[in-house]
Amino acid sequence: MSLFRSPPIPGVSWRLVLGGSAGVLIGGVAIGLIFLGLSRLLAAPEGQSPGIAKAFVSHVATVFLFSPFVTWVGLIPGALLSIPAARAGWAGPGTAVLAAGLFFGLAGGVTGGPETLYIWASSALPFALLFWLGAWIAEPRLRAAPV
């Protein structure tokens, strides 16, 4: 399997689009639940400060649990761009991560400057991998040997 290349998928593959979308929406919540469980395990004893690890894990859990409310903003153009990428044979996980980082970084740079560019670009990467994983599971032609 290639990092960027995939077998070309002729036509519009609704399995790819719907599988990728389900991967983002369901996978984001599942990861949020895992991090929520970890934050419960890292809970501080009564009367003590929770610490940086618990604060980080609970923040990540909150971001992933509430991700379905905001990921559709990037999911709609990402799903639409996955169709021509799959037709051309460029539907690998590296393509998904590169495109998400580029487009979300551009959106973050436009809306808030250089520090926002980094935050947006890095937060889009797990969702790009979730999209690709959902599409890979739903579309059997992506699992074929690359050309």
Side-chain angles (χ1 to χ4, degrees):
M1 175 164 82
S2 174
L3 191 59
F4 292 96
R5 300 290 291 171
S6 69
I9 298 174
V12 176
S13 173
W14 291 109
R15 286 182 180 182
L16 180 124
V17 172
L18 295 176
S21 300
V24 169
L25 297 175
I26 296 169
V29 173
I31 290 173
L33 289 173
I34 290 169
F35 273 96
L36 184 65
L38 284 174
S39 73
R40 302 284 182 206
L41 289 175
L42 294 173
E46 188 86 21
Q48 289 186 358
S49 175
I52 189 79
K54 201 263 192 230
F56 174 77
V57 171
S58 63
H59 178 70
V60 170
T62 305
V63 168
F64 274 103
L65 280 174
F66 289 103
S67 66
F69 294 117
V70 294
T71 53
W72 60 269
V73 173
L75 188 58
I76 292 171
L80 293 176
L81 286 173
S82 70
I83 295 169
R87 276 190 205 147
W90 287 95
T95 306
V97 167
L98 187 65
L102 179 72
F103 289 124
F104 274 81
L106 181 64
V110 168
T111 59
E115 61 280 344
T116 314
L117 181 145
Y118 170 74
I119 292 169
W120 278 51
S122 60
S123 64
L125 301 182
F127 294 107
L129 288 176
L130 285 171
F131 183 88
W132 182 81
L133 182 65
W136 186 79
I137 290 171
E139 178 56 73
R141 292 178 286 182
L142 280 179
R143 294 189 294 273
V147 178

